[in-house]
Each structure stands twice: as structure tokens, then as C-alpha cells.
């Protein structure tokens, strides 16, 4: 398990819970019944052994990510295999203590050990090897995926992403959209087998199927968790539907009849391969006269801000909340700029190499408004990591997997015009009449994402449970995309294709619900902290910068790590024990009113 946190796209691809064969000794008839003392010792030993493996792996990963060569890639794969194999071993051994009544802390540690896997290999060695091989093959097929419009011209996903984001030629967009989706079909056979074997492994650990295993990570029953998600979606759906209606008629103005007046929007017209975020079509839907009146990128560049100063601004935000400055080693060991002489992974990420305070970020910082915000986000991860470093090893993680991303994004929500004024970067904040542009741009990113973030695993859970059979993989995928997103494919999709696997997280076995949760939670955190900071204005204008009381509340939650069920952590910061999507509604309330005005007399829904 690596604990390295970054943006939406990357996350924990290395969480593949795979490994060699493991003997399960729980049922051995001659064995004596285990004791509470043995369980405690087992948890302690597992923590010590895993910590060592994780730290080794972090170091190797860091070198690999900042110096990519054939050798470092191989070393990183070896280190990942080792910690994954150990994870599987301890997860299976932990089941030996299932029947004991344990002290809460030990019980939680054993539970976390069992839940740390995202894929459990069956104990049969040949099946285990087969699953390992299939999982690697699917991720590899995705990584190597290309679309070749002509014999001598091939586009990789990076090229295609650029076209999806910037092209306004509907024919070209459809061409690359369909071209990329062809990557899924050949994976279908492997995927069917992966589902069979993964379910078998999950059942050996005592779960009904792999989906139930994934849903068990949330301190409630899998059924309760699913119901919670439905409830959250119902809270936020009206906002999405208004946004969808507005974007649809604006795109219809641009593209004509290929965008229906009242049906679903074609999947290839929203600026993103999966129509998961729509901010790339902002220029097509921007309100008139909504320019915020300043350009942070130009301001930063005009002042000759360098990358180090960009990070200092981020640190300054946390210092203003009462957090200690970053350690000296952070400044010595981080990577802030792209080296000229070697290949690196530029995708921004935050690290805690020794699981104590060897904090680092890895970025190729450009002097832009976007990177200014990203730095605040990444440092959110670092301060979280340091806040829980006094916890036992297995509790050094976020309260649930949605929390880590949510904290980084919460901090980024405080990068408001008023904050820029406090830093002296802006003379005067624009008046709130300029807010619609800022809010719409943010909604195209955060609100548009919600139904997609929700449906990916709604789909996979049904696949794992057998409710969706291989004969209808594609049919139900598009039924769910229609139901939640109001999106439809522009070309007929048969069962020879497998469009779900044209999304990285499906091909690479990475659970997705954390992104939906993070999207909901960040607004809930922001609303609570803004209230603590005494901000009574519109939420999008609240920044907690400089407020020690809000800082303390944040720190109290961060320091808990995952030592307690997540509702306890949520309560520490918000006073609520339930996730609550009304915060996102509050944040976007001025936009909702504006959208409803724009949509008057126009069809809404699909
Ligand atoms: Zn992140």
C-alpha cells in the first residue's frame, strides 16, 4: 500500500491487493484457539513489518518518480510486489482472530488489515497467479492504448485528451471519442475472468463479493453505505439537472441539432473523454460580463514569482491557521521544478516518505493560477500526513478514503479573491456581481463530476454481484450513464465493445467512490470551517486564511487519522455525523438561482 496522494486521475493505482499464494491456517483442525494476547501481538508485528516495507517502497517510488529509468521502474515494481504480498498475507492471517472479542483498538487494526486490499487473490496458487497476470495485463493494455486514425498516425491518450479539451469540431471529437473507446473491447474477456477470480478471493476473506469488500471500508454495512450514497445524490441532483439543462442549450447554440433540445447530451461534446468534468467547455457557456476582472496568472508572472515563492504562499496559508512550518527537509528534498536532464512524473503529488515527517511534494510548477491552487491542495495532504503521525501505523491514513482528497480541496476552496487581497496579490476583490463566472467554472468541474463519480462503482458493484452479466456489460453501462449523467453515446454501442474499460480506474482495478465522497465532503468541511471562522457572506467568498480557531478544528480532525470510525472525524470538524450534500447546494446557491433564470422556458431534465 503506498500512501501517496495526488489529483483525481492518479491516486492509489498501486493499491492492487495482489500477491503470491498464502497459506490460510485458520481452519487447521489441530490448532489451538487463538487468544486476545496473540491477536494484539499479531497486530503489533504486522504494523512493524508493514511500516518497514512501506517506507522502503516510498523511497524507491520517490526515486523512480523523480528519475525514470528501466532500472528504477523495475525496482519500484519489485517493492510494490513485496508490500502487496505482505498485505495479502496479513489480511488472511487476521481472519484467524475473527471470533474473538478484542479491545477496540486491536479490533480496528485487524479490520483495517483485512480491508486494505482492493483485490484479494484466491488461495489457489494457479488462480492467484492468473489473477495477478490478468490485472497487470488490463492495466498494461490501457496504458498502451492508442487510436490510429491512419496507418502512420497514432494518438495516445494524452494527445486525445488535448483534442477533447480544445477541439470544437464535432466530427473530429466523435472520431477520437470512438477511437479511444475501442480500447475497451479487447479487455472484456479478461475482465470477466478478473471478476470471477476476484470474487473468489473476496469470499475467502469472508465478503459476499468484491463489491461488498469495497463497500465495507466505510464503517457501516455495505447496504447502509449504498443507501447513504443514494441519499446524497438526491440532495444534490436538482443542481446537476439545472446545470445540465443550461449547458445543453448552450451547446445546442454552438453545435446545432446534434445536441437535442430535451434529451441526453452526446458524450463527446463536453470537453472530456468521459464527460466527467466539463470545465473545458467553459468558453462555450460563459455568462456575458462575468469576467472576475483580474488574472492571477498575470499577477504572479508580473511579480516574477518563482516556484519556491509559490510554495511559500501555500505554507503561509497553513501557518496562518496555526500549523507549524514545514520541516527543513521538505525544502531540501521536494521536487518543485521539472529537471532538464532526466524523465520525471510531473503529475503533482504529496508524500510522507517515512510516515512521520519526511514530507515532500513533487510537482513541475508553472507560475499559473492553477498551480497556485494545486500547491495549496497538495500541502493539504502533507499537513494531514504530519497531523496523524503520532497514531499507530495502521491508523496513519485519512478517516475514510474520501477525506484525504477532500482536505486538499477544502483548502483550495479558501483561495478566494479576498485571500489574494490579504496576500497583497490583488488590490481589491471584485464585487459579487462577478461571481457567476467563477461559480459556473467551478460547477463545471465539481458539480458535473458528481453523477460520474457515483455511477462508476454503482456499475462495478452490480457487475461483481452478478446482477449485470457479461452479456449486457455495455448496455447497462450506458443505461446508468443516461440515468445519472443524462449522457448518451453518439454511435450505437454493442456488446462487442466494453466502454467501461476505456476508463483507467476500471481497467486498473482502482475503486472510485472516494472521489464522489471527496467532492461532497470538501464543501461540508468548507462550510463548517467558514462558520467557525465567522464568515457570514456567500460561501464562495469565505476563506479561512488567518483563522486559528478554524485551524484548530481542522487539526483536531486531521490528528485522528483513521483511528476512529469516520463519523467521529466528521463530527470533530463539522459537528455532524452524516455526510451532507446541502453544503454544496449552499455554496452554489447564487449559481442555482442564475441557472434557473437562464433555463426559464427551456426543457430541463432528459
Ligand atoms: Zn490530492
Amino acid at each position: 500500500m503506498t500512501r501517496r496522494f495526488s489529483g483525481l486521475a492518479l491516486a492509489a493505482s498501486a493499491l492492487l491487493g495482489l500477491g503470491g499464494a498464502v497459506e490460510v491456517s485458520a481452519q487447521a483442525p489441530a490448532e489451538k484457539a487463538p487468544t486476545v494476547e496473540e491477536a494484539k501481538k499479531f497486530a503489533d508485528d504486522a504494523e512493524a513489518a508493514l511500516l518497514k516495507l512501506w517506507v522502503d517502497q516510498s523511497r524507491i517510488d520517490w526515486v523512480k518518480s523523480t528519475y525514470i529509468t528501466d532500472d528504477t521502474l523495475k525496482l519500484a515494481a519489485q517493492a510494490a510486489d513485496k508490500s502487496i504480498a505482505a498485505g495479502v498475507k496479513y489480511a488472511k492471517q487476521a481472519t484467524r482472530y475473527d471470533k474473538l472479542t478484542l479491545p477496540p483498538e486491536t479490533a480496528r487494526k485487524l479490520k483495517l488489515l483485512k480491508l486494505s486490499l482492493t483485490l484479494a487473490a484466491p488461495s489457489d496458487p494457479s488462480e492467484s497467479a492468473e489473477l495477478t497476470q490478468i490485472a497487470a495485463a488490463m492495466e498494461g493494455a490501457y496504458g498502451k492504448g492508442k487510436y490510429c486514425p491512419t496507418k502512420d498516425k497514432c494518438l495516445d491518450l494524452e494527445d486525445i485528451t488535448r483534442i477533447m479539451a480544445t477541439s470544437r469540431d464535432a466530427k473530429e471529437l466523435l472520431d477520437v471519442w470512438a477511437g479511444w473507446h475501442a480500447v475497451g473491447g479487447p479487455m472484456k474477456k479478461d475482465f470477466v475472468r478478473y471478476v470471477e477470480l476476484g470474487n473468489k478471493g473476496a469470499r475467502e476473506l469472508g465478503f459476499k463479493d468484491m463489491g461488498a469488500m469495497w463497500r465495507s471500508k466505510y464503517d457501516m454495512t455495505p447496504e447502509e453505505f449504498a443507501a447513504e450514497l443514494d441519499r446524497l445524490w438526491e440532495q444534490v441532483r436538482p443542481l446537476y439537472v439545472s446545470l445540465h439543462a443550461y449547458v445543453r442549450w448552450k451547446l445546442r447554440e454552438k453545435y446545432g441539432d446534434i445536441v437535442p433540445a430535451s434529451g441526453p447530451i452526446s458524450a463527446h461534446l463536453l470537453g472530456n473523454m468521459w464527460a466527467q468534468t466539463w470545465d473545458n467547455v467553459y468558453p462555450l457557456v460563459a455568462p456575458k460580463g462575468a469576467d472576475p476582472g483580474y488574472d492571477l496568472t498575470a499577477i504572479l508572472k508580473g511579480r516574477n514569482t518563482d516556484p519556491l515563492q509559490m510554495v511559500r504562499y501555500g505554507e503561509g496559508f497553513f501557518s496562518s491557521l496555526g500549523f507549524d512550518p514545514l520541516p527543513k527537509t521538505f525544502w531540501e528534498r521536494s521536487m518543485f521544478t521539472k529537471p532538464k536532464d532526466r524523465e520525471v512524473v510531473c503529475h503533482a503529488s504529496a508524500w510522507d516518505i517515512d510516515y512521520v515527517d519526511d514530507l515532500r511534494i513533487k510537482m513541475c510548477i508553472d507560475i499559473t493560477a492553477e498551480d497556485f491552487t494545486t500547491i495549496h491542495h497538495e500541502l493539504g495532504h502533507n499537513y494531514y500526513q504530519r497531523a496523524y503521525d503520532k497514531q499507530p501505523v495502521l491508523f496513519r491514513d485519512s478517516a475514510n478514503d474520501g477525506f484525504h482528497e477532500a482536505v486538499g480541496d477544502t483548502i483550495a476552496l479558501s483561495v478566494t479573491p479576498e485571500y489574494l487581497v490579504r496576500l497583497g496579490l490583488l488590490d481589491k476583490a471584485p464585487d459579487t456581481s462577478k461571481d457567476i463566472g467563477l461559480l459556473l467554472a467551478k460547477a463545471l468541474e465539481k458539480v458535473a463530476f458528481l453523477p460520474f463519480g457515483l455511477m462508476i462503482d454503482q456499475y462495478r458493484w452490480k457487475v461483481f454481484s452478478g446482477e449485470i452479466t457479461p452479456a449486457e456489460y455495455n448496455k447497462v453501462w450506458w443505461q446508468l450513464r443516461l440515468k445519472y449523467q443524462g449522457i448518451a453515446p453518439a454511435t450505437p454501442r454493442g456488446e462487442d465493445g466494453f466502454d467501461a474499460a476505456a476508463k483507467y480506474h476500471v481497467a486498473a482495478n482502482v475503486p472510485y467512490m472516494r472521489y464522489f465522497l471527496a467532492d461532497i465532503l470538501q464543501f461540508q468541511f468548507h462550510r463548517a470551517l467558514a462558520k467557525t471562522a465567522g464568515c457570514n457572506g456567500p460561501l464562495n467568498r469565505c476563506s479561512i486564511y488567518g483563522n486559528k480557531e478554524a485551524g484548530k478544528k481542522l487539526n483536531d480532525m486531521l490528528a485522528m487519522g483513521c483511528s476512529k470510525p469516520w463519523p467521529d472525524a466528521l463530527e470533530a470538524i463539522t459537528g455532524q455525523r452524516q455526510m451532507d450534500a446541502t453544503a454544496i447546494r449552499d455554496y452554489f446557491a447564487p449559481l442555482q438561482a442564475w441557472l434557473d433564470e437562464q433555463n426559464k422556458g427551456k426543457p430541463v431534465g432528459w
Side-chain angles (χ1 to χ4, degrees), residues 5-7 377-378 381 405:
F5 299 98
S6 66
H377 172 95
E378 296 303 335
H381 292 306
E405 290 307 325

Side-chain angles (χ1 to χ4, degrees), residues 2 19 449:
T2 51
F449 176 73

Side-chain angles (χ1 to χ4, degrees), residues 296-297 300-301 305-308 310-311 336-338 346 348 363-375:
L296 180 57
T297 300
L300 292 166
K301 284 189 171 143
T305 311
D306 63 13
L308 193 69
M310 295 272 280
V311 185
F336 297 140
T337 52
K338 185 172 183 171
C346 271
M363 268 184 89
C364 302
I365 298 174
D366 286 323
I367 308 305
T368 62
E370 192 187 344
D371 277 7
F372 185 84
T373 304
T374 302
I375 288 166

Side-chain angles (χ1 to χ4, degrees), residues 285-561:
V285 305
K288 287 203 176 64
D291 188 89
Y294 67 91
D295 176 353
L296 180 57
T297 300
I299 295 169
L300 292 166
K301 284 189 171 143
R303 293 173 173 236
N304 294 321
T305 311
D306 63 13
L308 193 69
Q309 180 57 40
M310 295 272 280
V311 185
R312 289 277 181 204
Y313 279 128
E315 184 192 38
F317 188 101
F318 288 89
S319 297
S320 86
L321 298 178
F323 288 87
D324 288 339
L326 290 162
K328 197 164 152 270
T329 51
F330 172 88
W331 301 99
E332 293 161 354
R333 297 173 186 171
S334 286
M335 185 189 96
F336 297 140
T337 52
K338 185 172 183 171
K340 290 198 174 65
D341 56 348
R342 59 185 202 263
E343 294 289 331
V344 300
V345 180
C346 271
H347 191 97
S349 54
W351 301 60
D352 182 8
I353 302 281
D354 65 354
Y355 288 72
V356 184
D357 60 0
D358 190 350
L359 306 171
R360 307 177 194 180
I361 61 171
K362 177 184 64 56
M363 268 184 89
C364 302
I365 298 174
D366 286 323
I367 308 305
T368 62
E370 192 187 344
D371 277 7
F372 185 84
T373 304
T374 302
I375 288 166
H376 287 71
H377 172 95
E378 296 303 335
L379 291 184
H381 292 306
N382 278 152
Y383 283 92
Y384 204 161
Q385 289 161 335
R386 187 169 63 179
Y388 56 57
D389 71 4
K390 307 278 183 301
Q391 293 287 350
V393 175
L394 285 166
F395 296 160
R396 290 181 207 167
D397 201 349
S398 55
N400 72 36
D401 57 6
F403 275 56
H404 235 299
E405 290 307 325
V407 165
D409 279 358
T410 300
I411 299 307
L413 287 176
S414 270
V415 179
T416 59
E418 284 73 13
Y419 168 56
L420 301 178
V421 171
R422 300 270 305 264
L423 292 185
L425 287 170
L426 201 62
D427 292 335
K428 191 171 158 288
D431 65 70
T432 49
S433 72
K434 306 294 187 196
D435 276 7
I436 293 303
L438 290 169
L439 280 170
L440 180 61
K442 197 158 275 195
L444 292 171
E445 183 196 342
K446 307 266 184 185
V447 178
F449 176 73
L450 286 163
F452 183 77
L454 181 65
M455 66 76 57
I456 287 240
D457 281 353
Q458 298 277 21
Y459 173 79
R460 276 191 290 188
W461 296 344
K462 289 186 164 76
V463 168
F464 293 141
S465 76
E467 195 185 320
I468 303 173
T469 65
E472 49 180 21
Y473 272 1
N474 241 13
K475 188 178 110 195
V476 182
W477 171 255
W478 285 105
Q479 278 173 355
L480 291 175
R481 295 203 69 184
L482 176 65
K483 177 182 167 192
Y484 287 102
Q485 288 184 284
I487 299 291
T491 57
R493 314 303 297 167
E495 293 301 334
D496 50 333
F498 181 29
D499 292 336
K503 172 74 187 164
Y504 172 78
H505 300 71
V506 175
N509 184 53
V510 184
Y512 208 73
M513 200 55 82
R514 73 186 66 161
Y515 302 114
F516 175 77
L517 299 180
D519 207 350
I520 302 280
L521 286 168
Q522 61 191 262
F523 290 93
Q524 199 176 350
F525 294 168
H526 179 67
R527 181 173 69 181
L529 293 174
K531 203 168 151 214
T532 303
C535 179
N536 299 312
L539 271 180
N540 62 307
R541 286 301 186 96
C542 287
S543 177
I544 60 168
Y545 179 71
N547 193 282
K548 300 265 186 317
E549 218 182 314
K552 186 186 171 312
K553 205 164 232 189
L554 177 62
N555 187 58
D556 286 347
M557 187 275 273
L558 301 183
M560 293 168 76

